């Protein structure tokens, strides 16, 4: 089962991620026309021989006479041929944020645990749809898994994901989102579907530009994960924070400090929402306090 401290889940075991396979039937993902290289189970804008009729066009030398559209030919007086939509495979990539800021929650589960659970749901749904699944786990290092339909490869990804959700007291390393998303852009095949699972802490305009470039040729979805405490701090009392080695005591009664924090959080949220709207990239917002049903409902609604 998932690791629990008090009432909060602080890490995801491999067994807990495997059990999520039973929930994929309630998760509905949008199906869109895509551009991809490999034949598969999804319709593509490439035209060729396939199961679904796309259009009729003028006959060209070399066309198969078996595809002649006799009705259009008779009506127009010129020979037309049928063109079909060719089915293509859709690779899916998961970029999972496991930086130090994700190992936090005041209720429910750590943000890192929620990210792992969403990643597992998307993984099982992708395999159930017959597509290839791969991912990048970012925690100061860049752990990459090439897209594959192999169940053993998927289990390897989940095992690594589970291991990386376990909190450590090691010295935190800085992760550059721009560098990681630049790498993601370079390895992403056109026509892929990508999910960015993150709290988007310390995101920069340069980093977001990398995502914008990815969205030009792939289907991109942002999954923003937050804890309710991060949005609104209490008006009084004190707060002790620790990363396992260092400790910080905050006086929440200082209004100036609270106002500065609130303004910074509001501006970050506004930047992400405006980016999503400007580039028409779906943004799904999940909370560590969400129930399992709320999580599935938000995810399904955001991906339609």
């Amino acid at each position: 089962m998932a690791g629990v401290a008090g009432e909060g889940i602080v890490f995801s075991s491999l067994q807990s991620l495997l059990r999520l396979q039973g929930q994929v039937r309630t998760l509905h993902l949008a199906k869109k026309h895509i551009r991809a290289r490999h034949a598969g189970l999804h319709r593509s804008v490439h035209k060729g021989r396939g199961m679904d009729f796309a259009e009729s066009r003028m006959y060209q030398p070399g066309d198969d006479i078996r595809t002649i559209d006799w009705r259009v030919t008779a009506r127009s007086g010129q020979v037309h041929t049928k063109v079909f939509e060719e089915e293509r495979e859709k690779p899916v990539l998961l970029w999972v944020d496991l930086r130090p800021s994700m190992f936090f929650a005041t209720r429910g589960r750590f943000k890192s645990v929620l990210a792992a659970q969403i990643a597992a749901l998307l993984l099982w749904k992708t395999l159930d749809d017959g597509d290839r699944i791969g991912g990048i786990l970012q925690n100061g290092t860049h752990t990459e898994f090439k897209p594959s339909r192999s169940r053993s490869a998927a289990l390897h990804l989940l095992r690594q994901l589970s291991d990386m959700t376990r909190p450590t007291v090691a010295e935190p390393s800085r992760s550059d989102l721009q560098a990681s998303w630049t790498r993601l852009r370079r390895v992403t095949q056109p026509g892929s579907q990508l999910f960015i699972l993150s709290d988007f802490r310390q995101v920069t305009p340069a980093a977001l530009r990398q995502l914008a470039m990815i969205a030009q040729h792939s289907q991109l979805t942002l999954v923003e994960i937050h804890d309710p405490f991060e949005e609104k701090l209490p008006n009084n009392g004190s707060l002790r924070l620790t990363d396992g080695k260092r400790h910080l005591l905050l006086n929440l009664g200082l209004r100036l400090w609270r106002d500065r924090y609130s303004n910074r959080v509001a501006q970050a949220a506004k930047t992400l929402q405006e980016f999503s709207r400007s580039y028409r990239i779906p943004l799904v917002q999940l909370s560590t306090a969400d129930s399992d049903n709320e999580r599935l409902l938000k995810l399904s609604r955001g991906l339609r």
Side-chain angles (χ1 to χ4, degrees), residues 84-95:
F84 298 86
E85 287 183 326
E86 184 179 358
E87 293 186 337
R88 295 277 173 159
E89 178 187 67
K90 179 189 62 179
V92 177
L93 281 174
L94 309 172
W95 187 93

Side-chain angles (χ1 to χ4, degrees), residues 89-267:
E89 178 187 67
K90 179 189 62 179
V92 177
L93 281 174
L94 309 172
W95 187 93
V96 186
D97 191 349
L98 295 169
R99 298 174 300 153
S101 64
M102 293 291 288
F103 290 83
F104 175 82
T106 58
R107 65 197 76 179
R109 65 206 75 193
F110 271 17
K111 292 186 289 183
S112 55
V113 171
L114 181 53
Q117 292 172 338
I118 297 302
L121 281 169
L122 294 171
L123 177 146
W124 293 123
K125 178 61 176 175
T126 299
L127 292 180
D128 191 54
D129 288 343
D131 294 318
R132 293 181 296 146
I133 182 71
I136 292 174
L137 310 182
Q138 182 67 38
N139 70 340
T141 60
H142 190 95
T143 306
E144 186 176 322
F145 300 85
K146 293 183 178 181
S148 171
R149 290 196 199 92
S150 166
R151 185 177 176 85
S152 62
L155 292 176
H156 179 53
L157 191 161
L158 290 181
R159 186 176 294 108
Q160 186 71 20
L161 179 59
S162 170
D163 290 343
M164 292 172 67
T165 63
R166 296 178 182 269
T168 67
V169 294
E171 190 69 24
S173 56
R174 293 186 60 83
S175 300
D176 185 344
L177 291 181
Q178 180 184 355
S180 184
W181 290 344
T182 298
R183 170 64 181 168
L184 176 63
R185 177 173 60 84
R186 291 172 179 170
V187 302
T188 300
Q189 297 179 4
S192 299
Q193 184 170 19
L194 281 80
F195 295 92
I196 307 295
L197 284 65
S198 175
D199 60 3
F200 295 93
R201 288 273 183 165
Q202 300 173 334
V203 68
T204 64
L208 290 177
R209 281 196 293 272
Q210 297 302 317
L211 296 185
M213 286 188 279
I214 292 174
Q216 292 176 0
H217 58 74
S218 297
Q219 185 180 341
L220 181 64
T221 300
L222 309 180
V223 181
E224 187 260 333
I225 298 172
H226 66 275
D227 184 87
F229 188 86
E230 295 176 305
E231 297 179 344
K232 184 175 178 57
L233 297 176
N235 293 331
N236 50 53
S238 60
L239 179 66
R240 184 181 297 275
L241 303 176
T242 179
D243 62 2
K245 284 188 174 183
R246 297 167 295 184
H247 300 267
L248 177 65
L249 183 64
L250 300 178
N251 182 0
L252 299 178
L254 296 175
R255 182 174 179 178
L256 178 61
W257 186 88
R258 292 200 319 271
D259 289 346
R260 287 178 177 175
Y261 175 84
S262 297
N263 291 337
R264 187 166 64 248
V265 170
Q267 183 57 49

